[in-house]
Amino acid sequence: MAIFAQDALQGRHILITGATGGIGSETAKVLADMGAKLTITGRNEEKLHQLKVDLYDITEETNICAIAADLSKTEDIDKLIETAEGKFGFISGLANVAGISGGSTVDQLDLEDIKKIMEVNYFSTFQLTQAIYQKMIKQEQGSIVNVSSLSGLRGTYGNSAYAASKFAMTGWTQSMAVEAIQHNIRVNAVCPGYVNTEMARNGFKKKAEKKNMSFEEAKQDSLDTIPSGRLTEPTEVANAIAFLLTDAAKNIVGESMKISGGNVMR
């Protein structure tokens, strides 16, 4: 099949969390161009509305449903699923893109900060996925893609809280995948490194402050560790997510697809 053809996801209803972020918005654009009906969600209503308008340049207005939601709230999850299904029916695909960064070295970590990162990156994502997965089981079909991170594969200095949340997501992806494939449901993860988004830029700013260097010096210092010598673009992550959602990836199960520019190989 032509993986990125305009009918590759025709007839599919896919829900994207974190749609207002850099990776989430690009994922929405790629999937819309592949013919999917999309439910996009995020907490920022203004950004969500703008994304919805931008998607009208790619697909019909009737193919997009935008619902603001705070996934840490059970009532918001329930309303999100109910509204999405009311609009487009069965949710056959789920892209869990929502996530936050943060943290410090272990000796300076605040418990509340750890709880917040785990809540957004793991617990809320798990709860939403569980609810949709139970419906997928009844339909005996579906595909779920979790956006983890290279930090979900190896630890780095001052990154314990974020890495813990992403290791949780990677481990959950693998365990769930073994269960889900028995119901013809595929679960996989993508694990990007530095992506050209606000999250990465904030990371460079933090590094610059810590090491008393300029933003550009801090950025270049990080790029020097990557064999490709560049940041990953959000569209590249979106393309990986899209591929895993298509039938072209039918026998890819429980994988953690690295997008590292050669920085992590194993």
Side-chain angles (χ1 to χ4, degrees), residues 16-220:
I16 305 171
T17 73
T20 55
I23 294 174
S25 60
E26 288 302 314
T27 299
K29 293 172 185 176
V30 170
L31 298 185
D33 198 41
M34 294 168 70
K37 293 183 182 296
L38 297 180
T39 294
I40 54 174
T41 188
R43 289 181 292 184
N44 189 314
E45 292 190 42
E46 184 178 343
K47 288 185 177 180
L48 196 63
H49 174 74
Q50 184 58 56
L51 174 59
K52 182 179 180 180
V53 172
D54 291 344
L55 290 172
Y56 293 162
D57 292 333
I58 301 172
T59 188
E60 298 293 327
E61 292 184 24
T62 53
N63 289 334
I64 305 298
C65 178
I67 306 167
D70 181 347
L71 300 184
S72 68
K73 299 177 180 178
T74 300
E75 59 269 27
D76 277 25
I77 289 177
D78 293 342
K79 181 182 177 182
L80 170 63
I81 296 173
E82 180 182 357
T83 306
E85 289 180 333
K87 179 76 171 180
F88 297 134
F90 170 63
I91 300 170
S92 61
L94 173 61
N96 284 314
V97 186
I100 59 173
S101 61
S104 183
T105 54
V106 172
D107 58 306
Q108 296 181 25
L109 272 174
D110 183 274
L111 183 58
E112 291 306 312
D113 289 338
I114 299 173
K115 288 180 178 179
K116 181 180 179 181
I117 292 172
M118 290 298 294
E119 176 66 45
V120 175
N121 292 358
Y122 180 57
F123 296 130
S124 297
T125 301
F126 185 98
Q127 186 175 6
L128 172 68
T129 303
Q130 184 182 51
I132 293 174
Y133 173 57
Q134 289 167 341
K135 295 172 182 289
M136 288 180 171
I137 289 175
K138 294 178 181 179
Q139 297 288 331
E140 287 289 313
Q141 61 173 300
S143 181
I144 298 168
V145 180
N146 297 321
V147 176
S148 183
S149 168
L150 293 183
S151 293
L153 301 174
R154 51 92 172 99
T156 52
Y157 183 88
N159 206 29
S160 295
Y162 181 71
S165 70
K166 292 301 185 178
F167 263 87
M169 179 171 275
T170 302
W172 160 48
T173 296
Q174 294 176 3
S175 294
M176 184 180 178
V178 176
E179 301 169 11
I181 197 59
Q182 299 175 38
H183 303 285
N184 194 36
I185 300 164
R186 294 182 301 103
V187 184
N188 290 286
V190 294
C191 297
Y194 288 117
V195 183
N196 191 14
T197 62
E198 184 178 354
M199 184 181 291
R201 290 188 286 274
N202 287 338
F204 297 145
K205 289 177 184 177
K206 183 177 178 181
K207 183 175 185 176
E209 292 170 1
K210 179 183 176 183
K211 295 194 173 184
N212 194 27
M213 56 175 63
S214 70
F215 173 86
E216 288 302 326
E217 288 172 333
K219 178 181 176 181
Q220 190 59 51

